[in-house]
Amino acid sequence: MSKEITARAEDYSKWYNDLVLKGGLADYSAVRGCMVIKPYGFALWEGMRDVLDRMFKETGHQNAYFPLFIPKSFLSKEASHVEGFAKECAVVTHYRLKNDPNGGGVIVDPEAKLEEELIVRPTSETIIWNTYKDWIQSYRDLPLLINQWANVVRWEMRTRLFLRTAEFLWQEGHTAHATAEEAIAETKQMLEVYADFAENYMAVPVVRGVKSPAERFAGAVDTYCIEALMQDGKALQAGTSHFLGQNFAKAFEVQFSNKENKLDYVWATSWGVSTRLIGALIMAHSDDDGLILPPRIAPLQVVIVPIYKGEEQKAKIDEKVHAIMADLKKAGIRVKYDDSDNARPGWKFAEYEMKGVPVRIALGARDLENNVAEVARRDTKEKSSLSLDGLAERIGALLEEIQQQMFNKAKTYRDEHITPANTMEEFEHLLDTKGGFIAAHWDGTTETEEEIKERTKATIRCIPLNNKQEAGTCILTGKPSTQRVLFARAY
Amino acid sequence: MSKEITARAEDYSKWYNDLVLKGGLADYSAVRGCMVIKPYGFALWEGMRDVLDRMFKETGHQNAYFPLFIPKSFLSKEASHVEGFAKECAVVTHYRLKNDPNGGGVIVDPEAKLEEELIVRPTSETIIWNTYKDWIQSYRDLPLLINQWANVVRWEMRTRLFLRTAEFLWQEGHTAHATAEEAIAETKQMLEVYADFAENYMAVPVVRGVKSPAERFAGAVDTYCIEALMQDGKALQAGTSHFLGQNFAKAFEVQFSNKENKLDYVWATSWGVSTRLIGALIMAHSDDDGLILPPRIAPLQVVIVPIYKGEEQKAKIDEKVHAIMADLKKAGIRVKYDDSDNARPGWKFAEYEMKGVPVRIALGARDLENNVAEVARRDTKEKSSLSLDGLAERIGALLEEIQQQMFNKAKTYRDEHITPANTMEEFEHLLDTKGGFIAAHWDGTTETEEEIKERTKATIRCIPLNNKQEAGTCILTGKPSTQRVLFARAY
């Protein structure tokens, strides 16, 4: 092995960090809570971004870009919004440095104090709705369907690479509509886009649901979410889509004249996913030997490693590999030939296992004689000897098979980890022994939710869409309930 | 006309703002000096970014992402770097807001003061070289070829949409090399990439050159640049590529063991272009009727407008247009069919002229009978009647022709505006009457450059690469000089 990875069973959290750091995805930075996304990690994000961006455009959205800074007063205009974000804001107060006349080096110039402090955006509803005010006059200006790819900052006290960082990259959609129905339909549509992406590209099965009031986005009427399950039995919120009602339109005075020529406030949605998805991807699939990336978003899908003695063998392999590469590329497969001579094949094998490349092809002199190559899958570690004839087609099919099996495996695990509990005792026992989602009756109050959280560290992840209705009693208070909701400990 | 545009001759600066605002490229924001990039402007930027990104990757670079914030002490580590940027830094001093106990609303929480202030990156050399320290140990880790797409902030006092904004979007390449020669070659290669992009995609001819010491990037040994000429005779720096020597490696203690196993400081380059390019694009080509965008980066290359009376005619035109659209899309042409019924054809024509769409196709019932369409070029306003047979091929060729002619026109203008001057009198007269680049002898001192700037507002834009050597005397001091350099008033 090229690099030691902590085993999941030994220390799950350390295993995760090892994968991120040694897999070349990200690094710590000199700025508290901020990370550096390394080239391999960024290539992964670019791939995810490109798929999502296409999905957004196919559903009629356009990209735009709004300022990084938000005047402090804007944040305060929507009451619950400021309450949600005030505690973790990076605040710009000055606009100049100068040399300390007392020899203290470079200092903030006290004369360059801003009249109004600027907040580094934690999310952009306020600055965007302040802009929409100028863009929307009539129903003809609606719907306004805009997305932004941006960095945002939330000054978290406890950070984890990708999962929770002070600065992170994300996209935030902000749409404006003439009716509540249309806005709700948009909210649900974008949730479905996220679920499609998570399941069909990341191979991560998700529960689609609605948040309880306590877990709602600050300023939303309803927060829809997709919830994924990690291998340690903890849940991870992978994306949210908010129906904002007229809250931001009212806060920023955004009215339009409707078809009846009457003034009304505009209806809003916002929705976002972030680099946090990379954390979900890692924890859903990877193993003790490194990352396992689903083919559809793996930056590199196939790596070819030559096995040879001497330049003559090498030359013959090179020639064949170039033909194979051309075929693979023609089939749209992302492939790399690693013929660097500074590492032995075994070291390379371990390195690409670490990096989660879905398929490895090894080609030696003997293989060449037999017109075959050794093909190894990263996910199952199965190896097979495949004919060089029609190899590209076989590899293409194999990549699809891997994608499917990765999803199926994660789904089986997830489905086996949705367990009903009917008493608090059962609930706590399940949390401590099995983890996963616990389906339990809840009386619908925030007080109960908070007490359960206090006692067990589990929160309501969501009330699944199209949830089965059944009579029951709250596991904490015994009060009547009409449905089970999903609890879990979560990232 | 749908919207009034100020004529260039009347007020060039207002004309520019009209184009940006009414062309739907950008808008002012509530934050001083920051702009909102609107969907059409952002689509233009995306197109430019995608081409550049491909060029960077083809020359071996990978993308990564570094923190938005830079600890104040980092900025100070390279002496001339901090001097260059300290005067325009947005400074984060606190990380929390709270409710004013005295009822003053939401205020900055004085207890949440950062131990060390953070600067919102004006450029990322310092944070990146602090990171490279951990990534580079040996010559085997070199070259390190990384690019970042990011937002940066420079607190400019006088701002102009796209040309000079407090926050802007850009890319910054940061590479590390084992030798000075290699780093210089990289610096020049990236300058060539920028020149290629400006000329062959933006259709903007550029002078490739080197900056005088006074105009160098803060921290660079040499700054290479491409300089473009706007229609008002002012120059615009369109991209820079810096050879940083070992300055940042020394400031951040980045050493590597070379092939001889000796420790040496790493050699560096950095290079960037920004959303400022959009300003250059607008001012190089557009006219009093609106934007003129070069086909290769126009978000929309062709718009089709139907001209009809009644639903029956419309249905026939629709059918034909769908076939034409399919052909055009198959040929990789970005096309839109605007059959919205809320505006008359004349209004639409003006709107797409305003937006600079290179080719407009109008199709009426009579045209359909004659199997022709009216094709109008945005750049020359020429119209012609083209057969519907083989239309996609003709349009493809026309787009290429437009691209070429736009470049040729801009180049002719630029070439006619490089004028020699041999005395200060001649120099000042040329600046005030003709503008453009003035090729003049200069004694090579910063003092002279500054006095000329003081007197004329003209600066040395660059010393062209492969500049002709000729004996002469400085126009200001009469001291001997070996070459002419290019002066201009500039954006």
Side-chain angles (χ1 to χ4, degrees), chain B residues 218-245:
Chain B
V221 172
D222 254 326
T223 287
Y224 292 75
C225 62
I226 52 171
E227 295 283 327
L229 193 62
M230 304 296 100
Q231 293 180 57
D232 61 348
K234 284 171 82 173
L236 187 147
Q237 174 182 299
T240 48
S241 184
H242 315 292
F243 170 55
L244 304 173

Side-chain angles (χ1 to χ4, degrees), chain B residues 181-203:
Chain B
E181 294 67 38
E182 229 186 77
I184 292 169
E186 166 80 6
T187 312
K188 289 179 176 171
Q189 170 185 254
M190 298 324 290
L191 188 79
E192 205 42 55
V193 164
Y194 289 155
D196 178 8
F197 177 73
E199 300 195 329
N200 296 317
Y201 289 87
M202 293 173 57

